[in-house]
Amino acid sequence: MIAELLRKSIHLSGLILPVIYLFLDKPTMLVLMGILMGFALVVELVKWLSPSFGEFFFQIFASLLRTHERKGAITGATYYLISAFLCILLFAKTLAIVCIFFMILGDMAAALVGKKWGRTKLLGRKSLEGSAACFVVCAAIALVKLNPVIAIVGALVATIVELMPFPIDDNLTVPLISGAVMHLLM
């Protein structure tokens, strides 16, 4: 649980990007996100092409990485930056910000509540309690800025996507799929 709390506290630092987007226009934010995403992708590539850099990377970040990330998968942080970039590119500003908040806060609520109080297993290690927390948090976020029907549908889609065992990281699937559904409803 301590490792998960540390990982999720780092996820909270990701809130800085949608907050920055509140003050910037879309083209400027896309440039900023493109630079950050490009840097992350270069790090991902170099850590596997250079054994010495890879060793250095894993010495620093191993405690924050999930097992599959230590075995070669792209890190959740890189998926976060790719996803945030795509949300900003594809969706209106308000919707992009909501989707990024879904990714950070909805996922965090699901993980922390599911690990602490999750008793009713739904799929794999995912629990009803964690999914309920994800839904409540996503709905609260969306209801601040969106039409109530769109907000609830978006929160439900985000929760279902977070629950499903897709082979793609949920930092990518949750915001993009829920955002696409909300965008179509708008």
Side-chain angles (χ1 to χ4, degrees):
M1 185 68 173
I2 300 292
E4 191 65 25
L5 282 172
L6 179 60
R7 280 182 56 80
K8 296 308 177 187
S9 67
I10 295 202
H11 279 214
L12 284 175
S13 68
L15 292 173
I16 191 72
L17 292 176
V19 170
I20 288 171
Y21 191 25
L22 289 171
F23 303 100
L24 296 178
D25 62 4
K26 186 174 193 159
T28 305
M29 194 65 187
L30 283 170
V31 169
L32 173 64
M33 291 306 304
I35 291 167
L36 293 172
M37 182 181 66
F39 178 76
L41 290 170
V42 167
V43 168
E44 292 287 349
L45 181 64
V46 173
K47 79 179 181 189
W48 299 114
L49 292 179
S50 168
S52 60
F53 180 79
E55 186 177 313
F56 171 73
F57 178 88
F58 290 117
Q59 281 180 339
I60 293 174
F61 297 109
S63 64
L64 301 174
L65 300 175
R66 298 208 185 274
T67 303
H68 68 278
E69 293 170 334
R70 288 189 295 253
K71 291 181 179 176
I74 294 173
T75 65
T78 300
Y79 275 118
Y80 164 78
L81 292 169
I82 293 167
S83 184
F85 176 84
L86 290 172
C87 284
I88 293 164
L89 178 68
L90 298 172
F91 306 134
K93 186 176 196 170
T94 298
L95 184 56
I97 291 169
V98 165
C99 292
I100 296 167
F101 277 124
F102 278 11
M103 172 179 33
I104 298 166
L105 298 175
D107 181 62
M108 184 173 77
L112 296 178
V113 169
K115 285 190 185 305
K116 178 79 174 166
W117 294 288
R119 303 286 182 264
T120 311
K121 297 302 177 194
L122 295 174
L123 291 173
R125 298 179 336 194
K126 305 278 178 126
S127 70
L128 175 64
E129 296 82 1
S131 291
C134 179
F135 176 76
V136 167
V137 168
C138 289
I141 290 164
L143 284 167
V144 170
K145 288 292 192 179
L146 301 176
N147 164 296
V149 172
I150 294 170
I152 297 301
V153 170
L156 183 61
V157 170
T159 301
I160 291 168
V161 171
E162 196 281 328
L163 176 65
M164 300 306 293
F166 291 120
I168 300 170
D169 191 283
D170 63 358
N171 284 337
L172 197 58
T173 57
V174 168
L176 292 174
I177 294 172
S178 63
V181 169
M182 290 185 288
H183 176 77
L184 291 173
L185 290 173
M186 293 174 148

